[in-house]
Amino acid sequence: MALTLAGGLTACTGSSGEDGGDDTKPGGASTSTAAAPPGKYRTLPEPCGAVDTGTLKKLLPGAEGEETGSGDANPSASPYEGEPTVTYDTDRRVGCRWKSATTLGTRHLTVNMERVVSYDPAISDDEQAEVLYDEKAAKADIPASGSPSAESDADSDSDGSGEDSGADSEKPDSGSASPSSSSSHKSADPDAEADKGGDEEQTAEGDEDAGSPSPGDDLSPRVLTGIGDTAYIDDKLDTADSGVHRDITLVFRTANVIATVEYDQWVTDKRRLPDSAELQEKAQSVARELAEHFSDN
């Protein structure tokens, strides 16, 4: 009889770790090691309201002309409101997409945010998010976060001339435009050209207020600083039968949240490549705004 009572008490003790909701890590109070702490962030911002309208107007030239477009299901809807991404768990993953189109090209902006939760009691949510971020970076051939290999490789590739050999490290098939190639075309931003009345001579100067990197800046896929805990940017240029498109992907991690910004531009005239410096800077401006939402928490 005493053995039976002791067994019942043990069973009750083992179930004490079930309180705390869906984010509670497995393993009860009877585990020998303490569970890793939960993630810093327990919620995500509303994605379609996370990017300022002023920023959207810079990223989506020509969208204002679509606000009164006829034939739409909701003609009064603003293109800057965005379209929420369909997800099965908005507590963990949210997103929004925007689009602008002119006779010269189309631009798309997509923002996705994921709140990572670890189900291993020995691994914190922040640590699990770092693992997932590093997997994304590795898939994009970006150095893992906190890896010193990028600097050491650059030093080892030096020919002793004192010149930066970073240009040789660019992926030949990534489609990334070098500063010289992105500035060698007559019109790097045909969409902005339409907003200026089609004046082709003003196109190269049309984005002075965009904060674009200077011609000497590195535009290759790389690690970024100053956005979240760690970040990287990828840049691909592809040619299709219907035209040319450049796709910018920026991923950053802050604690247990991973955010992805995708920004692309399609042009039908293959002689006018989308400008790498301009698109990268605009994608970074969106990422910085998203990161501010988390830094305020």
Side-chain angles (χ1 to χ4, degrees):
M1 184 67 177
L3 291 176
T4 303
L5 179 59
L9 291 174
T10 302
C12 293
T13 303
S15 63
S16 63
E18 297 301 321
D19 294 334
D22 294 338
D23 288 353
T24 302
K25 301 179 186 304
S30 61
T31 55
S32 58
T33 58
K40 178 178 180 180
Y41 301 108
R42 309 283 287 184
T43 61
L44 293 169
E46 197 285 309
C48 292
V51 183
D52 184 74
T53 301
T55 301
L56 292 173
K57 288 182 177 181
K58 293 180 180 179
L59 269 72
L60 305 171
E64 284 186 331
E66 302 172 16
E67 288 186 286
T68 57
S70 60
D72 294 338
N74 185 7
S76 62
S78 169
Y80 303 121
E81 291 181 2
E83 179 184 354
T85 302
V86 177
T87 63
Y88 295 100
D89 187 352
T90 55
D91 187 48
R92 301 284 179 81
R93 190 187 298 269
V94 296
C96 191
R97 61 172 64 94
W98 298 263
K99 174 184 176 181
S100 70
T102 70
T103 56
L104 294 175
T106 304
R107 298 196 186 204
H108 302 87
L109 171 66
T110 303
V111 167
N112 287 297
M113 290 173 280
E114 177 185 2
R115 185 174 66 88
V116 178
V117 175
S118 170
Y119 292 100
D120 185 337
I123 300 176
S124 70
D125 296 341
D126 291 13
E127 291 170 335
Q128 182 64 23
E130 184 174 3
V131 169
L132 296 179
Y133 169 87
D134 285 345
E135 290 176 354
K136 290 177 179 289
K139 192 172 183 179
D141 294 329
I142 305 293
S145 61
S147 171
S149 59
E151 295 182 3
S152 61
D153 290 346
D155 293 338
S156 63
D157 290 341
S158 174
D159 58 3
S161 62
E163 297 180 357
D164 184 6
S165 60
D168 296 334
S169 64
E170 293 184 16
K171 297 183 294 181
D173 59 345
S174 68
S176 300
S178 64
S180 58
S181 65
S182 63
S183 61
S184 63
H185 296 273
K186 181 179 181 181
S187 175
D189 186 5
D191 289 350
E193 183 178 293
D195 290 344
K196 294 182 172 105
D199 186 356
E200 294 182 357
E201 298 302 324
Q202 294 181 4
T203 303
E205 302 174 358
D207 293 304
E208 292 179 356
D209 61 345
S212 298
S214 63
D217 287 347
D218 181 16
L219 299 176
S220 64
R222 64 199 183 279
V223 171
L224 298 176
T225 58
I227 301 178
D229 295 332
T230 183
Y232 72 83
I233 192 167
D234 199 6
D235 183 335
K236 296 185 182 299
L237 180 69
D238 292 305
T239 302
D241 294 338
S242 57
V244 180
H245 65 98
R246 183 179 293 281
D247 303 296
I248 307 297
T249 302
L250 193 160
V251 180
F252 73 88
R253 180 186 69 83
T254 177
N256 62 315
V257 171
I258 298 176
T260 302
V261 176
E262 295 175 308
Y263 183 44
D264 66 70
Q265 180 184 10
W266 286 74
V267 294
T268 55
D269 189 345
K270 297 181 181 180
R271 297 170 299 175
R272 298 173 177 174
L273 299 184
D275 186 81
S276 178
E278 180 230 339
L279 297 187
Q280 285 195 30
E281 173 54 33
K282 288 182 175 179
Q284 290 183 58
S285 69
V286 174
R288 285 191 289 267
E289 283 193 25
L290 296 180
E292 287 177 1
H293 283 280
F294 298 101
S295 64
D296 292 339
N297 292 343

